[in-house]
Each structure stands twice: as structure tokens, then as C-alpha cells.
Amino acid sequence: MKYRILLQRIINITFLQVLITAFFFPALAAAFIKESKGLKKSLLIHNLIDITITGKVTDEKNKSPIPGVTVKIKNGTTVAVTDENGLYRIAVPNEQTILTFSYIGYDIQEKLVGNLKNIDIILKSSQSDLDEVVVVGYGTQKKADVTGSVVRANLDDFRNAPTTNVANLLQGTVPGLNVGQVNRAGSTPSINIRGQNTLGGNQNVLIILDGVQYNGSLTSINPDDIASIDVLKDASATAVYGAQAANGVILITSRKGANGRTRISFSTQYATQKPNIDLKPMARDEYLDHIKYLYYNEAFLAPDFTQPNPAFNLISKVDPSMKDNQGNLLPNDFSWYDEATKTGAIVDNQLSVSGGTDKINYLLSGSLTRNSGFINNDIFKRKTLRANIESKATNWLTIGLQSFGTFVNEDGVEPNFNDINLMSPLILPWDNNGGLKINPFNTNLVNPLLSYEANDYDRHNYFFANIYANVQLPVKGLSYKISFGNNYRLDIKNISNIYDANLTGQASKENTTYYDYTFDNLLTYNKTIGKHNLTGTLLYGAIERENSYTRAYSTGFSRLTLGYDNLQQGTNRFAISNAFKEALNYQMFRLNYSFDSKYLFTGTIRRDGFSGFAENNKYGIFPSLSVGWDISKESFFKVSWIDNLKFRLGYGVAGNQTSRYSSLASVGVNAAYVYGDGSSTELGQQVNSLPNPDLRWERTTGANLGVEFTLFKNRLSGVAEYYDTKTTDLLYSVNIPVLTGFNNYLTNIGQLNNKGIELSLNSKNINGTNFKWTSTLNFARNVNKVVKLLGDLNGDGVEDDLPQSGLFIGESTAVIYDYKVDGIWQIGEKIPSGYSAGTYRIVDQNGDGLINAGDRAVLGSSAPAYRISLLNNFQYKNFTLSIFLNSVQGGNRSYLAGNTPRLIRDDNSIRNNYLSGIDFWSPDNPDGKYPRSFVSATLNPSLYQNRSFVRLQDVSLAYKFTGKLIERLKLQNLNLFVSGRNLATWTDWEGWDPETNQGLTNDGRPVFKGYSVGLNVTF
């Protein structure tokens, strides 16, 4: 603007004056020349033409338009405001103009006009997300009004990670949400919220997809279709879902279309996958050396067995399968591992079209994903189609459809990884004619590569549809929502292999169908009177599930020309089928009240009914309440460095349900009975389990205390929580005397306590114009303790433990109860009977001079001591770099697991191969860590190792293109990225991976390390 005014003042001045001005004010001269380009050479300017800039301003979180944003020329007076669709139009004097975009609750953003005519802006929230709307179950709430433990997962910083399952994006991102690693293509990791609070009840986290309980695999959900994931952790937050939510809830919300121009988005990604550790079986020389040390008492000279015995003949000890006809060792050094593995890959392509008006919005998407694992034939292929449509049919009726279909292909049978690692490098998998050897060792162990010969058809089809209608009733603030959600799954497994069924050939066809529906009726009333805000929610719903399974198979084929499509060719034909049905019925009432957004209250009562319980206890009632106090809004609160401070306290009772039919007596088939001596055996049915007509719901009573804060002008924000729960009436199968005719009896026993602390911190370390640096730190600690079991059975005032079940009063459910190892017996020591040099020395815990069951002790726990993660996000101009470290720590006595490769000389240990580099004991390696002996010890305990680790889990570098390229291509967005996953792991654990508890065993599997490159384009 200032350039334009000055230019107008110098109209008709002489050329000399212009030169003088240019000499002292070069920036002014440049502006003058640009403004006058194409005008009369005499520089007589009669009119100056402004540049018109248009664009759209949207929210970073939900991509929705923001009305009312102030668009202003920096240091000028010209101002524009975005309309209801987030659109604006403003006139600027030249290309050097800088526009500022400001709106309450968002960071001010500046943009140089340059050559752009259209400038779209995405604003980031400047506050601690207090105005963010989160899903709380059967509705939404502003985060500032939430009184329960509800956390929205950070997906944005991890969407570029090379993975096919959305659960993998959640690892370490939410305190208390524990997500494991995967080591198979397309697989779903383990998921746990706030540890274990049951023994025999349901331990699965409840998944809610677009308001509908989802029992399908998370593999079926396209990660790109997900808009947000909210995690409900405490009883007051999960109460609306009742006993289904005993172990926490994950709420997944799919994307919708937004008002405005149609958006066509395409993304593509290619990623590699390979083991994150270089661990392979022994090659030829190490393998032969391994056989020699199994015969150390012959290969080395007594008495210390460290000097080689020149008379020892190694070839005589090698299995005959590894020798030629002349008795010489085969010359091969073949890697079965390399033959059966490769570098895996992920190829992922996504396409979506979305848009809308004030009457209708839509999103249509499709994806193609292929993930080939590092083991041959470990293949996962997925196709998805989604249609989300919502229409405001009238001013009182909104109807919608959320639907998708997923088609998963997992054809092919991978070779058994354990058998691959067992194979000797001296043996080839092929015979002299080039065909696969059937039994390479000339034993009953078949060639693992024979799996390639299988004709395998393995498909999983998922169909989901949720139809809903929202009616605004004549009473102001009163609405009624009806929704009908459907899940259908079809699993088909057809396979044939001439080498199955003890090499006689086998073929089978297997079909599983699953269907469930969720029918919810929701009545909601909102009322605001002055500073009072009231919301009441009333729910009535029902769920039914049914499953059917059929398998037909045949064995004994002379040939398998038609494979599984001609089962009648088999000599032996069989058929198996089963099915189940179960039903749930529930009612819920919730009341939310707030006064002046300072004093908050939520009360919920839920009644659950489940067909799996006996007639006497079909229903359970579970209440909860929670309160909140935003003290920072009080007039007396005058702490300048505290922007926001809210306390919340919740208390409630959650239930847990048993498995279907468990309260009833079950009947088994194939029971045999002989009617008198010499009579024939008759087959029939028999009762396998006792009924329990008084089987009750588990009850978990818990309190949750939370503190939410924002400090130092929104530079630091966070949440700290403490929870303490008590579960009674634990569902558990108690062992009973065999003379009753049964082994156990499902009943309600004991008490289990579970408590922990969680902390999440978000900081804006640097918040400059061109460079920004933010950090997120998450910490969680959880412990549980068995308080009661069966009671005082002996009348001595002391309750007995259940060591056979690994349960001890006062200890964790993850307790490790075993013998303690104290090194390895050495040659020359006084070794007790039943043990030899090279076997573990066991601690005599009771000091009676004997090693027996009485010497077992509590050695620690397999549960971690705490989990911690750190995300750093750096933004420099158009570059964004994210670095995520994730760690699980165990201290001295926690996060332990058995990790004991053991060699005992016999035909198998001499013949089999093992992983390379294992520190086995030998006379010349007395400090070896793992046992090796030529006799088996009386007791062979495990060596427990700490699994603590720190992992560089995710790294992503992205560049967002702007300027002329975007304008020329008429794009809304163009983003290029590279990323890496599981790039480094620091741990003392030996073996495949500590997090998956895969040690130095042949059957372990590695976690994948991968790099990816991808592109996101929006038209």
C-alpha cells in the first residue's frame, strides 16, 4: 500500500528524478518498475491496478472451513473476512505484499503473495486443544467439558509410516494405550488399555467404528479413511458402553466430505521391509564346529577338555544325510534362510473424492494395498471401497450412510520358519533331478519348501454399513437418533497339497460366515439457561451375533489334479461344522451438566443383559459419575503463568462378561464306553463341564483423578492422571477334584487391584515464523496385584496361593514363579546327581540340600515397569521432520522373559541347525551364557532376561510444495515424503526382538525395519 501512494506522488516526474530515487530506494524503484510495466514509456501513470487474491482458510485438525478469519495486508489497512465457507477475496498492491491470517484460538499465519493468485491457508490451533471436539460415545463434547479420561490419538504425525494397519500408528502415542509390534504381513498387533484387570473374563479392547461395535479385524479398515481415533480409559468414560467396555474403548471415526469445492485426493507409497536384526542360522564352518562341541568329551583331551584330541573324527559324528556315498561330507554351504526369505515391500495406493453443500456431503474412497513379508508367501493384499454420505433432507431430518467393503487376499503358504532354521547348510533342498527332496534329513521332518506346492485360496471379505437418521423433534433441543449397524464377514480357506497328511495328500474347503447387527435408539435433550448447560442422553439398544463354520476335507489322494475342487477323489472323507448365536440388550442414561463452563458433572447408569449368563444373572447394572472444576476460570485465580487448569475426578463400576455358553453344562461327542468284559466299544456323548446357574458379572470399581493444564502462554500443556481400580467376582475356572468327573468349574472368585499413573506433555519449544519445534512426551506406569483368590480354605487364617496357575496373593498376575539360575556347572566342580558340566546351577532356596519344586520362587514380573515415548516435530518453511522414540522399561525385576537356547546332545541336536553366534557354554568358554551338555539335567529352568528397549520407531521428512507449481497444476496440495520405521533398537535382550518376546529360538520372527517414499496430491 505504501508503494502505491508513493508511486502516485511521483507521476510525471523527470527520468532523472526516477534514477535518483532508484539509487537511494532500490526496493521502491523495483516496485515502481513492476507497477509501471507495460505502461507508457513516459512513465505517465494514470491508474494503478490492484492484484486480486482469493483463497480458502481451513482448520488443520478436521479440514473444515473457518468463517470469520481476518485477512489483512501486513502493516496496512486493507482487511477482508472469510465467509461461511472459509472463502475470502482481497486486493493487494503488488507481489511483495504479505498477508496475515488471524482468528481467535489459532496461530497467526503470514504469507507472501509472490506470483500466486489463489492462496489457501490451513490454520493451526494456538491453544491447548480445549475447543477441540472429541468423541465420547453416543455423542461428542468439547474437550474442555470432558470429565472422564478421553484422549485423542495423534495420527497426523504418523500417517506416512510404512504400515498397513492403523493400530501400528498408535504405538506409544497415547499414555495407557499399549500396542505391540507385528512380524507378519498385514497383521494386527496386540492392544491393551491400562493393563489387566481380569483373570478369566473378556480381555479385549472394545472397538467402536462410526458408533457401531466392530468385531472384525482392524486389518480390514483402510487407515486413510480414518479421520480420528479417541481412546476412553476410565470407568466414567467407558460407562456408556457398559460391560462391553471393561477393558477400555477405541472410538474410530471415518472421514466425511466438507462443504465447498470437490476434493480429489490421491496418495501413493512404496516401502521396504526387512528384519531389524541380522540374525541367521549357522553357516557350514560354524555348524560343523557346533557338532564338535557337542562331543567335547571326545573332541578334546581330559581332564579339562580344552586341548584338541587329534584322534577325534568329526565326520563319524555327522548325520548320514550329510555325507555322500563314499562317506565324505557334502561340499555344500547352502543358506536355507536366504532361499526362503527376501526383502519385503508395501505398495499402497489411495484415491478419494469428497465434497458437499449445506444440504449434503459425501466421501467416496478406494485403496489397493499389497504387503509381501520377508518370508516367501507371507503375502497380504487388500482392496477397500468406502461410501460415506450424509444429507440434510429437511430442516428437521438428517439421514446418513457410512459403509465400506474390504477384500483381503492372503493366498499362499509360507515355509515353516522354524524348520527353515533347523535345516543343515550341508544339505540342498533339491535332488539331482531338480525336484524338492521330501525328507532332507531322512527323518519324518519334511522339506519346509514343500509348502510352495500348496494350492491355497485364503480370502477374507468384510462388509460394514451403518444407516442412521437424526430427527429434530418439535421440542426445542430434543432430538432422536436411530441407527442400524451391520457387520458381515466371509472367510474362505481352500487348500490342497499332495505332501500333506503324512505325504498321502490332503485337500479341504473351509467356510466361515459371521454377522452381527447393532440397533440403537438415542434420545438427546440439550438445554441452556443462562450459564447453565444441560444435556441428557437416553439409550436403548440391542446386539445380536451369529457365526457358522463348515469344513470338508479328504486325505489319501493318488493325485490332486483338481485339488480342493474334487474332494471325492480322496480315500478318507470328513466333515466338521459348528455355529453359535449370542445376544445383548442394554439401556443407558447419561446426564451432563455444566455451570459457566467451570463446574462440570457427568452421571451415567448402564444396564446390560447378555445371553451367556445363567438365568439368575442375565442382567447387570453399572453406574458411574465424574466431576470437573476449571479453577483457572475463577475470579480469584490470578496466576499469570497458568493459562488453564482443570481438575476432574471420576468414579464408577464397570462389568465384564463371560464367554457364551460358559454358565451351561457342555456336552462332548466321541465318548467311549464298554458294556462289560469282551463287549464292543460304543460311542456316544458325555457331559464335559458343570453348569453354574449363579455365574455373575465381574465388577470393576475404579476411581480416576486427572489434571489438565496449559502454561506459559500456551507454550506447555499436558494431562496427568492417577487411577485405582478393584475387580471383584472374578470369572475363573477353579480346579476341582478329578473324582467329581470334571477338572474345573467356572465360578466367581477373589479380587484383583489395578492402578497406575499417566502423563502427557506437549511443548512449543520454538514457535517462529519460519521455524517451529514442538515436542510430546508420554509416560505411563501400571501395576496390578492379586488381593484375594479362593479364601481361607484351611481355616488357618491365611489364604493359599494357586502356584499351579501362577497366581499369588500380593503379587502381580504377570508374576514369574520358577527356579533361579546361578551360573553353569563347570568341569572339576562337585556336581550333584542328575546334573553335569554345562547345565544350569539352580539356587537351593529353602537350604535343604535338595533341588525340587520347593525351590521355586517369585523371580519378578513379565509386565513392564513403565512406558515412555518422545515425539519431536520440526518445521522449517515447507519442510516437516518428525522423530519418534518409543521405549518400554522394566527395571531390575520387571519386563522379564525366558530366553534360553539349550543344547543337549542327541540325534536331533546333532542334526539340526541353530542361530548363529549364540554364546553356548563349553570347557574352553566357561563364561558361556547358555547351557550345552551331553546329558539332560533333571531340571532345565529358563534363564530370564530383561526386555527393556529404546526404539527409534518412526522418522518422517515431508516437503509441501507451494507457489507457482501448485498454481500452474491447479492443485490444492502437493506433498512429498520419505519415512522410516523401527530404524534402530537399543536393548540388552538377545534374539529377534524384545517387544515381541522373540528370543534366540529358531521359531522366533523378527520385527520389520522399513523405509518408504510417497506422494500426496489433492486436486
Side-chain angles (χ1 to χ4, degrees):
M1 179 65 69
K2 64 180 181 180
Y3 292 148
R4 181 183 178 187
I5 295 172
L6 289 172
L7 287 170
Q8 288 177 329
R9 290 178 178 175
I10 62 173
I11 292 176
N12 295 324
I13 64 175
T14 64
F15 186 73
L16 178 61
Q17 289 174 308
V18 174
L19 291 179
I20 295 173
T21 305
F23 181 81
F24 289 102
F25 304 98
L28 178 61
F32 175 78
I33 294 171
K34 192 167 188 66
E35 287 284 328
S36 59
K37 185 178 180 181
L39 299 180
K40 298 178 180 180
K41 292 183 180 180
S42 62
L43 297 179
L44 296 176
I45 304 174
H46 301 289
N47 240 337
L48 289 177
I49 302 173
D50 288 340
I51 302 171
T52 300
I53 304 296
T54 61
K56 184 176 183 178
V57 182
T58 55
D59 178 83
E60 181 191 40
K61 291 289 185 181
N62 52 32
K63 312 304 181 188
S64 60
I66 307 176
V69 176
T70 299
V71 185
K72 182 180 178 182
I73 295 177
K74 188 175 182 180
N75 299 324
T77 58
T78 303
V79 176
V81 178
T82 59
D83 63 16
E84 61 182 5
N85 295 318
L87 302 176
Y88 73 92
R89 176 186 294 269
I90 190 171
V92 302
N94 51 56
E95 296 179 347
Q96 282 71 43
T97 301
I98 296 176
L99 293 177
T100 65
F101 299 80
S102 60
Y103 189 68
I104 296 174
Y106 291 83
D107 289 333
I108 295 175
Q109 192 169 147
E110 296 183 350
K111 186 70 176 180
L112 176 67
V113 170
N115 294 325
L116 299 177
K117 299 295 186 296
N118 183 275
I119 300 177
D120 291 336
I121 296 295
I122 299 175
L123 290 184
K124 298 180 180 180
S125 174
S126 62
Q127 299 186 10
S128 56
D129 296 330
L130 295 179
D131 294 325
E132 180 182 25
V133 175
V134 295
V135 182
V136 293
Y138 302 108
T140 59
Q141 272 187 292
K142 288 176 60 176
K143 188 175 180 181
D145 296 335
V146 173
T147 55
S149 182
V150 181
V151 179
R152 172 151 293 183
N154 175 11
L155 295 179
D156 294 338
D157 289 319
F158 299 95
R159 289 190 184 273
N160 295 338
T163 182
T164 60
N165 195 301
V166 67
N168 295 324
L169 303 181
L170 302 177
Q171 289 172 325
T173 61
V174 176
L177 175 63
N178 309 320
V179 180
Q181 283 281 354
V182 296
N183 48 26
R184 294 179 185 272
S187 59
T188 300
S190 61
I191 302 176
N192 173 275
I193 295 178
R194 288 187 167 179
Q196 181 180 347
N197 57 14
T198 184
L199 296 179
N202 174 33
Q203 297 189 36
N204 297 324
V205 172
L206 178 65
I207 306 296
I208 301 294
L209 175 60
D210 289 328
V212 178
Q213 292 192 24
Y214 190 67
N215 292 309
S217 170
L218 288 179
T219 296
S220 66
I221 302 176
N222 179 14
D224 192 60
D225 285 342
I226 296 174
S228 65
I229 294 180
D230 297 281
V231 182
L232 314 184
K233 296 187 288 186
D234 72 329
S236 63
T238 64
V240 292
Y241 293 107
Q244 301 291 297
N247 304 292
V249 183
I250 294 178
L251 300 171
I252 301 175
T253 303
S254 63
R255 294 193 293 134
K256 290 184 177 182
N259 290 0
R261 59 180 289 190
T262 298
R263 293 170 56 91
I264 302 175
S265 297
F266 173 75
S267 66
T268 183
Q269 181 184 39
Y270 176 81
T272 62
Q273 284 188 326
K274 63 180 182 179
N276 66 340
I277 183 172
D278 187 19
L279 192 60
K280 294 184 178 182
M282 295 182 286
R284 178 187 179 91
D285 292 343
E286 188 181 4
Y287 175 77
L288 293 174
D289 209 39
H290 137 79
I291 297 175
K292 179 179 70 174
Y293 274 98
L294 281 172
Y295 287 92
Y296 75 83
N297 58 326
E298 299 179 31
F300 298 89
L301 298 174
D304 57 3
F305 299 104
T306 58
Q307 298 300 316
N309 180 3
F312 177 69
N313 183 5
L314 176 62
I315 296 178
S316 67
K317 306 300 182 183
V318 174
D319 189 84
S321 62
M322 301 170 217
K323 303 175 188 177
D324 60 21
N325 294 333
Q326 287 73 43
N328 299 315
L329 291 178
L330 294 173
N332 309 312
D333 188 6
F334 180 75
S335 174
W336 289 75
Y337 180 97
D338 290 341
E339 180 67 25
T341 63
K342 63 184 183 308
T343 298
I346 297 176
V347 179
D348 187 53
N349 295 286
Q350 309 278 345
L351 178 65
S352 68
V353 180
S354 63
T357 66
D358 57 346
K359 294 294 185 181
I360 188 170
N361 66 75
Y362 62 89
L363 177 136
L364 304 174
S365 73
S367 72
L368 291 173
T369 304
R370 177 186 172 92
N371 181 192
S372 56
F374 91 104
I375 301 178
N376 292 342
N377 277 355
D378 179 21
I379 297 175
F380 170 83
K381 302 176 185 178
R382 179 179 63 205
K383 301 175 184 177
T384 68
L385 293 171
R386 172 175 285 276
N388 286 355
I389 303 172
E390 185 177 79
S391 173
K392 190 173 183 180
T394 68
N395 59 1
W396 54 268
L397 174 64
T398 300
I399 57 176
L401 168 68
Q402 297 159 313
S403 63
F404 75 84
T406 297
F407 310 93
V408 174
N409 177 339
E410 295 182 291
D411 294 354
V413 180
E414 67 177 55
N416 185 285
F417 196 53
N418 178 62
D419 293 346
I420 286 294
N421 292 327
L422 285 176
M423 291 297 161
S424 166
L426 277 67
I427 298 178
L428 298 177
W430 311 280
D431 57 28
N432 294 331
N433 298 321
L436 287 171
K437 293 179 181 178
I438 306 300
N439 304 102
F441 282 145
N442 296 324
T443 66
N444 60 359
L445 180 65
V446 299
N447 188 334
L449 301 185
L450 292 177
S451 64
Y452 296 162
E453 302 300 314
N455 180 15
D456 181 51
Y457 183 89
D458 191 359
R459 306 297 172 92
H460 310 274
N461 300 325
Y462 303 84
F463 302 92
F464 172 91
N466 180 35
I467 304 169
Y468 62 90
N470 201 326
V471 181
Q472 299 298 320
L473 298 176
V475 178
K476 185 178 180 180
L478 184 64
S479 64
Y480 168 66
K481 181 178 181 180
I482 183 172
S483 65
F484 184 56
N486 296 262
N487 283 300
Y488 178 77
R489 185 174 72 247
L490 173 62
D491 301 316
I492 303 173
K493 175 70 172 178
N494 299 338
I495 186 170
S496 63
N497 193 332
I498 194 63
Y499 299 109
D500 281 349
N502 295 322
L503 307 180
T504 67
Q506 177 172 270
S508 69
K509 281 196 166 186
E510 191 174 340
N511 289 280
T512 304
T513 60
Y514 171 86
Y515 172 74
D516 71 46
Y517 74 78
T518 301
F519 184 62
D520 284 339
N521 296 267
L522 198 67
L523 197 63
T524 304
Y525 179 70
N526 290 291
K527 184 69 173 179
T528 299
I529 304 174
K531 295 183 178 181
H532 302 271
N533 186 272
L534 183 72
T535 302
T537 305
L538 185 63
L539 168 73
Y540 177 85
I543 296 174
E544 286 195 11
R545 305 179 184 128
E546 58 183 52
N547 188 89
S548 179
Y549 170 82
T550 303
R551 181 182 182 227
Y553 67 101
S554 299
T555 62
F557 288 83
S558 58
R559 58 182 179 177
L560 267 172
T561 308
L562 298 178
Y564 48 74
D565 287 326
N566 199 349
L567 298 181
Q568 61 269 30
Q569 284 189 343
T571 303
N572 310 302
R573 303 167 194 168
F574 308 90
I576 301 172
S577 66
N578 59 55
F580 73 77
K581 287 186 177 181
E582 62 183 17
L584 301 97
N585 183 276
Y586 47 88
Q587 303 86 43
M588 182 272 296
F589 175 70
R590 178 178 62 197
L591 177 66
N592 295 100
Y593 168 78
S594 68
F595 175 75
D596 199 21
S597 295
K598 289 189 295 187
Y599 311 113
L600 313 168
F601 170 85
T602 302
T604 306
I605 186 165
R606 167 102 176 198
R607 181 175 182 261
D608 271 305
F610 177 50
S611 61
F613 282 103
E615 197 65 35
N616 298 348
N617 292 287
K618 288 288 187 187
Y619 289 89
I621 297 177
F622 309 102
S624 74
L625 61 88
S626 55
V627 295
W629 179 26
D630 193 339
I631 190 174
S632 58
K633 292 182 179 179
E634 296 287 1
S635 59
F636 62 80
F637 192 83
K638 303 293 185 182
V639 183
S640 60
W641 52 274
I642 298 180
D643 307 316
N644 176 263
L645 181 62
K646 185 177 81 172
F647 298 95
R648 49 181 169 79
L649 175 65
Y651 182 84
V653 180
N656 200 345
Q657 64 187 49
T658 184
S659 57
R660 67 189 73 89
Y661 311 132
S662 57
S663 64
L664 306 175
S666 62
V667 177
V669 298
N670 298 327
Y673 189 82
V674 179
Y675 289 92
D677 294 339
S679 299
S680 62
T681 301
E682 300 293 335
L683 298 178
Q685 298 178 344
Q686 67 179 14
V687 178
N688 286 340
S689 65
L690 289 170
N692 184 352
D694 296 317
L695 195 66
R696 304 184 299 277
W697 299 73
E698 281 187 1
R699 299 181 69 83
T700 299
T701 304
N704 188 94
L705 175 64
V707 180
E708 301 176 9
F709 54 88
T710 306
L711 313 175
F712 311 118
K713 305 299 181 184
N714 300 318
R715 296 298 292 269
L716 179 66
S717 62
V719 180
E721 300 201 57
Y722 170 79
Y723 59 91
D724 192 346
T725 65
K726 176 179 69 175
T727 305
T728 55
D729 291 337
L730 292 159
L731 293 162
Y732 191 70
S733 290
V734 178
N735 293 332
I736 59 177
V738 180
L739 59 88
T740 63
F742 303 94
N743 295 320
N744 48 59
Y745 179 66
L746 183 63
T747 186
N748 299 93
I749 66 167
Q751 177 182 325
L752 177 66
N753 290 0
N754 185 40
K755 62 182 179 180
I757 56 174
E758 297 166 356
L759 175 66
S760 180
L761 294 175
N762 299 280
S763 66
K764 297 179 180 179
N765 308 315
I766 298 176
N767 195 30
T769 302
N770 291 326
F771 181 71
K772 301 178 187 294
W773 171 26
T774 62
S775 299
T776 300
L777 175 71
N778 292 320
F779 174 87
R781 171 171 168 77
N782 169 266
V783 294
N784 67 11
K785 182 173 66 172
V786 177
V787 178
K788 298 178 183 178
L789 286 170
L790 301 180
D792 181 10
L793 300 180
N794 300 323
D796 57 1
V798 178
E799 185 171 353
D800 293 332
D801 300 322
L802 293 176
Q804 70 275 18
S805 301
L807 298 174
F808 300 85
I809 304 297
E811 297 287 350
S812 166
T813 56
V815 70
I816 295 175
Y817 182 69
D818 203 349
Y819 299 97
K820 185 176 181 180
V821 170
D822 183 23
I824 292 179
W825 290 109
Q826 303 292 329
I827 290 174
E829 292 183 329
K830 186 179 180 180
I831 302 175
S833 176
Y835 299 86
S836 69
T839 62
Y840 276 140
R841 182 188 294 113
I842 301 174
V843 175
D844 182 6
Q845 296 283 358
N846 56 20
D848 62 0
L850 302 174
I851 300 298
N852 51 36
D855 293 306
R856 290 179 298 171
V858 173
L859 304 181
S861 169
S862 60
Y866 62 91
R867 300 170 184 265
I868 189 169
S869 67
L870 176 63
L871 170 67
N872 280 292
N873 193 301
F874 306 92
Q875 293 183 14
Y876 177 69
K877 294 186 176 179
N878 292 359
F879 287 96
T880 300
L881 174 65
S882 295
I883 301 174
F884 184 61
L885 291 166
N886 192 24
S887 176
V888 181
Q889 295 294 319
N892 295 325
R893 285 171 51 86
S894 299
Y895 208 41
L896 305 177
N899 188 9
T900 316
R902 190 189 315 272
L903 287 177
I904 301 171
R905 189 174 74 197
D906 58 19
D907 290 342
N908 286 331
S909 64
I910 295 168
R911 183 187 305 115
N912 293 344
N913 200 353
Y914 297 88
L915 297 179
S916 176
I918 298 177
D919 186 19
F920 286 113
W921 175 91
S922 66
D924 59 358
N925 184 32
D927 296 326
K929 195 171 186 177
Y930 303 105
R932 173 165 49 190
S933 61
F934 52 83
V935 296
S936 178
T938 302
L939 294 172
N940 288 300
S942 294
L943 178 66
Y944 291 91
Q945 294 184 18
N946 193 293
R947 296 164 55 196
S948 299
F949 69 90
V950 176
R951 197 190 304 274
L952 180 57
Q953 186 165 292
D954 289 285
V955 177
S956 176
L957 176 63
Y959 180 80
K960 182 178 180 180
F961 290 87
T962 57
K964 292 183 178 179
L965 178 63
I966 299 296
E967 184 178 3
R968 188 181 307 118
L969 297 177
K970 301 186 183 303
L971 300 178
Q972 296 186 51
N973 178 63
L974 178 60
N975 187 46
L976 179 67
F977 66 87
V978 293
S979 67
R981 188 167 181 83
N982 299 330
L983 300 184
T985 303
W986 297 275
T987 181
D988 291 332
W989 175 262
E990 295 184 332
W992 296 105
D993 190 79
E995 193 171 6
T996 57
N997 195 10
Q998 303 284 298
L1000 291 167
T1001 57
N1002 285 344
D1003 59 349
R1005 296 172 71 106
V1007 163
F1008 301 137
K1009 174 173 65 176
Y1011 300 90
S1012 70
V1013 59
L1015 180 70
N1016 298 318
V1017 184
T1018 302
F1019 298 91

